[in-house]
């Protein structure tokens, strides 16, 4: 659902889903699985160690239908920063 900001008559950059995960992953040159992890968060379990959980770091909206867009503009911008850090060799831990 496209949300319009009433004060500016522009798309709401936080609430209007514009990109699918696979589409955004192509634009950012990252695997779709990496982008899914950034959107959903992750939980890693290693035998003999405590569970490590990571929270979502990219804004995404709940799915409304099949494979429709879920990433608003602000989410693409957040993922762009993470992608640039990742490609420049900065550790993301």
């Amino acid at each position: 659902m496209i949300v319009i900001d009433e004060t500016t008559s522009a798309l709401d950059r936080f609430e209007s889903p514009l990109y699918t995960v696979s589409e955004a992953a192509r634009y950012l040159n990252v695997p779709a699985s990496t982008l899914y992890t950034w959107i959903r968060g992750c939980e890693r379990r290693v035998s003999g160690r405590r569970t490590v959980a990571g929270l979502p770091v990219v804004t995404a909206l709940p799915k409304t239908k099949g494979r429709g867009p879920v990433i608003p503009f602000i989410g693409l911008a957040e993922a762009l920063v993470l992608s640039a850090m990742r490609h420049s060799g900065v550790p993301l831990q």
Side-chain angles (χ1 to χ4, degrees):
M1 178 173 97
I2 301 296
V3 179
I4 303 294
D5 184 341
E6 293 178 11
T7 58
T8 63
S9 298
L11 289 177
D12 185 334
R13 64 184 180 268
F14 292 96
E15 297 294 327
S16 294
L18 301 173
Y19 310 98
T20 64
V21 173
S22 59
E23 181 181 31
R26 277 193 314 273
Y27 293 154
L28 300 168
N29 194 27
V30 297
S33 60
T34 298
L35 188 53
Y36 274 115
T37 300
W38 291 348
I39 289 170
R40 293 184 189 146
C42 66
E43 188 172 293
R44 302 280 190 252
R45 294 186 180 128
V46 178
S47 180
R49 294 183 152 179
R50 67 183 179 95
T51 300
V52 177
L55 298 174
V57 292
V58 171
T59 301
L61 304 170
K63 279 190 174 185
T64 56
K65 59 184 174 196
R67 296 182 179 193
V70 293
I71 301 174
F73 176 77
I74 198 71
L76 185 70
E78 293 166 345
L80 178 64
V81 171
L82 290 171
S83 173
M85 290 172 63
R86 185 174 192 249
H87 289 140
S88 67
V90 176
L92 299 179
Q93 283 78 19

